[in-house]
Amino acid sequence: MKRFVCIHGHFYQPPRENPWLQEVEIQDSAYPYHDWNERITAECYARNAHARILDDKHKISDIINNYSRISFNFGPTLLSWMQRKDPAVYADILEADALSRTNFSGHGSAMAQVYNHIIMPLANSRDKRTQVIWGIKDFEYRFKRKPEGMWLAETAVDLETLDIMAQQGIKFTILAPHQAKRVKYTGQDMLWRDVALNSVDPGVAYLCHLPSGRTIHIFFYDGPIARGVAFEGLLNNGEDFAKRLTRDTPAPGARMVHIATDGETYGHHHKFGDMALAYCLHSIEQGALAQLTVYGEFLEKFPVIHEVEIVENSSWSCPHGIERWRSNCGCSTGGQSGWHQMWRAPLREAMDWLRDRLASVYEQQMSAYTSDPWGLRDAYIDAILERSPEGTERFLREHLGRVPPEEEKIRILKLLEMQFNALLMYTSCGWFFNEISGIETVQILKYAARVIQLAKEAAATDVQEEFVRLLERAPSNAPELKNGGVIYSSMVVPSVVDLLRVGAHYAMTSLFEQYPDKAHMYAYTVNTGEYILKEAGRQRLAVGRGRVASEITGENADIQFAVLHLGDHNFIGGVDYFKPEGYVPMQGDLTGAFSESNIPEVIGLINRYFGSRNYSLWHLFKQEQQNILDQVLRSAMEDIESSFRHIYEQHYPLMQIKNESRLPLPR
């Protein structure tokens, strides 16, 4: 029997967008790239779309799109980012699926994924359903076809999840070999064989019967080969990789050697892994070592004669099942000696409390507009996929039968966004690593903060104080940070954005950038009503008014502002809701005092007119903070560079003599 080979890549990054701005802010740890999505795209995703094959003289003999020859899934939130930020690579991935249908008898390479990578066995039934529906709809929107398979985050599985997937038309999923409990041939009810010790045969497909009477197919990947690719250097040589996949003598019947690893293995975790993969695929095809296939094609060609029972509440990355995402099980990514993960359980308890507390609020409030609040949430993916006023109105008209009045529409969208962020706060990476103050956990706490803010605005329900009390039970490994409550208050709350803060951002950055009358600022727009700019040497004053609006929920407010730049990094600004009776006197007093160069008076007036609603450079969004500081520091850097150049040129002969004499230079 001819060999079949399938290589699956799970391509995924956690959602990194600021929940208020809908953009990934600059991440210093990803330098020289703007952020980790951008860096990994350059190192992996783009390279696999144009993977080079070298000949024996190390010259490029071919360039192939790896995605068209393997099985793959991309996280929906990653593809959403890529569609906006790297449309060329995004197009290459979509094209690869179309090409693969020619290669694999009409079956595409791409699989769907549960929407934002939550650990499905730890989710409630309602959230499981939404994750599957959103994952499918996102896939259909991008790949223009129905998905046959679906990837489970961390391959974490239980029967209810599989049942929901089968109900929604998913035919198969992929699990790790240790997630098979026992197997048998179809029709031999009494001849179950225990395979719990990684002894499942990965070369065949299995049928899993579900409690509802539905069924789903499961493939268990080859563990030793997958481990060799991910951790044991099998990608050091593409030819060796091909031989490892095809070296075993095929047993009778239709069999497939297949592996599944993180897709980032091919180029990011292993430099040139994309080239090793390309050469492996090339070697298999050119040497007729096996036939490349994908799971859907294999299922269609060969009848499934094996059945399986799974190990529920298991995953591929935690030997303790799914404890890595809810307890101090010992699994982590390291850290200082003595570090623990006792924060995991209290963090999940706090998130569960927040979810359940606001689920009833959502249901009660949304029932005023629809008889099926949770069905409306399931459908909200349509609006998420098309973030535009037209897309939002189409969604509301289709599912509510009308576009509600402005105030109602804003409230409905805030309630739906509350639920959207409540799902995002369960992204698995928040529990995966070693410390609660890590970037991944802070990210999911930001989603929680957005949930809390929206609940307060849309339903007059304030739960932040109780949420912080629950987080205080989650101990940090960093003594100075103490616990999750301190981390939330110090690292999350300062990130919260409202319309006034957007106005402050606009006012301060307007001193350095000329905006059109309608300026787009991340997920907001600012329509300028009046803008006055005064300059005196290095000092500048901007006074004005305008309307700030969210492009997501439609909420808006008329604001007035004044901002004074004293030079360098010194900003003093105030923003408040527009007061028609007070705006003209405020503008006149400030511009008058500035024209007289009475800066102390200007500062006093800003404090008097705006009170506690004062803003400084540190209230700017991170990217603009850096841009402005770069501009402010440019002249200082030129002075420093000139000084160092002068020192170097003046003392170069002496340094050269010491160097030639092999004498150490003075510190």
Side-chain angles (χ1 to χ4, degrees):
M1 174 60 67
K2 190 173 182 179
R3 293 183 176 95
F4 291 88
V5 168
C6 178
I7 297 171
H8 182 82
H10 164 51
F11 295 91
Y12 166 74
Q13 291 299 303
R16 295 188 166 101
E17 283 80 1
N18 179 306
W20 294 272
L21 307 182
Q22 300 295 309
E23 291 286 350
V24 181
E25 295 187 280
I26 190 168
Q27 295 177 314
D28 297 334
S29 59
Y31 182 84
Y33 297 93
H34 177 273
D35 55 72
W36 279 103
N37 282 3
E38 185 179 287
R39 177 171 174 173
I40 296 171
T41 297
E43 294 176 349
C44 177
Y45 308 142
R47 289 176 180 269
N48 277 286
H50 301 277
R52 296 162 293 168
I53 295 175
L54 305 184
D55 61 21
D56 55 2
K57 296 180 181 177
H58 300 287
K59 294 186 180 297
I60 297 174
S61 63
D62 200 1
I63 297 177
I64 69 169
N65 187 331
N66 281 343
Y67 302 113
S68 68
R69 288 170 165 81
I70 66 171
S71 170
F72 68 86
N73 73 280
F74 267 85
T77 55
L78 174 58
L79 285 180
S80 175
W81 172 88
M82 197 179 292
Q83 182 182 17
R84 292 179 285 110
K85 296 300 182 180
D86 203 329
V89 176
Y90 176 75
D92 287 336
I93 292 165
L94 302 190
E95 182 187 20
D97 182 69
L99 289 172
S100 69
R101 284 177 244 171
T102 302
N103 298 336
F104 303 123
S105 311
H107 298 272
S109 288
M111 286 172 53
Q113 180 199 288
V114 292
Y115 185 75
N116 65 279
H117 214 263
I118 74 171
I119 301 303
M120 293 290 274
L122 293 176
N124 62 30
S125 301
R126 194 162 48 216
D127 288 358
K128 288 176 182 176
R129 176 180 168 83
T130 302
Q131 285 284 322
V132 171
I133 290 174
W134 283 14
I136 291 172
K137 287 192 173 183
D138 186 277
F139 184 94
E140 293 173 345
Y141 168 80
R142 302 185 192 285
F143 293 97
K144 310 305 179 190
R145 65 178 178 88
K146 291 187 178 298
E148 294 182 275
M150 175 168 273
W151 181 266
L152 293 169
E154 303 290 342
T155 74
V157 69
D158 64 345
L159 288 174
E160 184 182 42
T161 296
L162 294 178
D163 213 341
I164 292 170
M165 290 163 61
Q167 183 185 35
Q168 297 300 320
I170 296 298
K171 296 178 182 177
F172 68 87
T173 192
I174 308 165
L175 298 180
H178 64 263
Q179 294 179 272
K181 182 179 180 181
R182 59 179 191 165
V183 300
K184 71 178 182 69
Y185 285 106
T186 299
Q188 297 181 351
D189 293 342
M190 304 303 295
L191 297 177
W192 285 99
R193 181 170 62 88
D194 184 13
V195 292
L197 298 175
N198 285 331
S199 61
V200 68
D201 179 0
V204 298
Y206 295 86
L207 187 69
C208 181
H209 289 273
L210 302 168
S212 66
R214 301 183 186 96
T215 59
I216 192 168
H217 295 96
I218 299 177
F219 292 89
F220 298 93
Y221 64 78
D222 190 303
I225 302 179
R227 191 163 51 250
V229 169
F231 306 113
E232 296 170 0
L234 194 50
L235 287 183
N236 293 341
N237 185 292
E239 189 173 7
D240 290 344
F241 184 17
K243 289 177 179 177
R244 181 67 184 88
L245 286 167
T246 58
R247 75 182 185 189
D248 295 331
T249 303
R255 301 182 58 76
M256 175 173 64
V257 176
H258 66 105
I259 61 169
T261 65
D262 285 336
E264 291 74 21
T265 302
Y266 304 107
H268 172 59
H269 298 316
H270 294 275
K271 193 173 183 180
F272 305 123
D274 55 301
M275 294 175 65
L277 174 59
Y279 198 85
C280 168
L281 297 169
H282 171 79
S283 296
I284 290 172
E285 289 185 316
Q286 293 300 111
L289 303 177
Q291 180 177 327
L292 297 178
T293 189
V294 291
Y295 296 103
E297 181 186 48
F298 191 81
L299 277 179
E300 180 187 50
K301 284 187 173 182
F302 305 107
V304 178
I305 59 173
H306 300 82
E307 296 180 17
V308 68
E309 290 182 355
I310 63 164
V311 178
E312 286 204 86
N313 298 326
S314 60
S315 68
W316 76 345
S317 52
C318 178
H320 315 98
I322 52 174
E323 297 307 306
R324 185 168 194 155
W325 299 276
R326 65 177 176 185
S327 73
N328 183 28
C329 69
C331 293
S332 74
T333 52
Q336 297 181 21
S337 176
W339 276 25
H340 59 78
Q341 285 72 51
M342 289 189 289
W343 50 270
R344 283 178 176 156
L347 174 63
R348 184 162 289 277
E349 289 165 7
M351 295 296 200
D352 286 349
W353 176 86
L354 182 61
R355 176 197 64 196
D356 296 341
R357 173 71 177 83
L358 295 182
S360 58
V361 171
Y362 168 79
E363 195 169 62
Q364 180 184 14
Q365 298 290 328
M366 194 61 86
S367 293
Y369 310 106
T370 177
S371 60
D372 186 8
W374 298 107
L376 188 66
R377 184 183 78 166
D378 289 342
Y380 188 53
I381 185 64
D382 294 338
I384 294 168
L385 289 169
E386 190 179 347
R387 293 286 201 184
S388 69
E390 298 77 17
T392 299
E393 291 203 358
R394 186 160 49 250
F395 162 76
L396 292 170
R397 192 175 290 109
E398 180 179 347
H399 296 284
L400 297 182
R402 64 190 178 96
V403 177
E406 191 69 11
E407 188 175 337
E408 282 187 21
K409 183 171 93 170
I410 292 170
R411 191 156 174 260
I412 290 167
L413 292 173
K414 283 187 173 183
L415 289 168
L416 288 166
E417 279 296 302
M418 179 179 78
Q419 283 299 312
F420 174 54
N421 284 275
L423 289 166
L424 290 176
M425 73 187 189
Y426 280 103
T427 302
S428 67
C429 309
W431 286 266
F432 189 85
F433 295 94
N434 56 343
E435 163 57 16
I436 190 173
S437 62
I439 185 173
E440 298 83 6
T441 312
V442 170
Q443 178 72 17
I444 65 169
L445 287 171
K446 287 181 179 179
Y447 291 126
R450 180 62 172 148
V451 168
I452 290 168
Q453 180 189 39
L454 288 164
K456 187 174 181 179
E457 293 174 355
T461 302
D462 190 350
V463 295
Q464 181 160 284
E465 187 175 335
E466 180 62 24
F467 182 65
V468 171
R469 274 202 297 270
L470 292 171
L471 287 176
E472 288 172 352
R473 302 174 185 172
S476 169
N477 288 291
E480 68 277 11
L481 293 175
K482 297 182 181 177
N483 57 58
V486 172
I487 290 164
Y488 181 86
S489 299
S490 62
M491 301 174 72
V492 175
V493 171
S495 301
V496 173
V497 173
D498 58 15
L499 295 179
L500 289 181
R501 184 168 175 184
V502 176
H505 180 90
Y506 167 81
M508 282 187 275
T509 55
S510 72
L511 296 171
F512 296 86
E513 181 177 352
Q514 187 173 356
Y515 287 116
D517 290 341
K518 184 177 182 179
H520 290 275
M521 315 204 74
Y522 297 100
Y524 299 87
T525 57
V526 180
N527 285 279
T528 306
E530 182 177 56
Y531 184 84
I532 298 170
L533 177 65
K534 298 285 187 179
E535 298 185 74
R538 298 177 66 194
Q539 298 169 345
R540 285 177 286 179
L541 173 72
V543 183
R545 60 184 177 85
R547 169 165 287 193
V548 182
S550 166
E551 295 179 350
I552 305 298
T553 64
E555 67 173 325
N556 58 81
D558 292 319
I559 63 162
Q560 59 191 38
F561 60 84
V563 59
L564 174 67
H565 182 214
L566 298 169
D568 295 334
H569 64 283
N570 298 306
F571 291 82
I572 299 170
V575 182
D576 202 350
Y577 296 106
F578 180 62
K579 298 179 174 63
E581 72 285 353
Y583 173 72
V584 173
M586 179 270 292
Q587 180 217 93
D589 290 348
L590 281 166
T591 55
F594 187 82
S595 297
E596 296 172 359
S597 298
N598 190 347
I599 300 304
E601 177 67 9
V602 173
I603 295 171
L605 287 168
I606 290 175
N607 289 330
R608 178 155 66 88
Y609 278 110
F610 294 95
S612 61
R613 289 183 166 134
N614 286 330
Y615 295 87
S616 70
L617 175 68
W618 314 116
H619 290 96
L620 285 177
F621 308 138
K622 194 170 182 180
Q623 182 68 61
E624 281 68 28
Q625 275 187 19
Q626 177 164 308
N627 292 344
I628 289 175
L629 284 172
D630 285 347
Q631 291 185 56
V632 168
L633 289 171
R634 190 169 296 140
S635 61
M637 293 300 293
E638 289 171 356
D639 291 344
I640 292 168
E641 184 179 344
S642 176
S643 297
F644 275 117
R645 181 173 289 110
H646 175 73
I647 292 169
Y648 175 81
E649 290 172 351
Q650 183 175 357
H651 298 287
Y652 178 81
L654 179 58
M655 289 190 290
Q656 183 67 10
I657 289 171
K658 293 206 72 172
N659 185 56
E660 290 176 354
S661 302
R662 298 190 178 182
L663 296 172
L665 289 170
R667 285 177 62 83

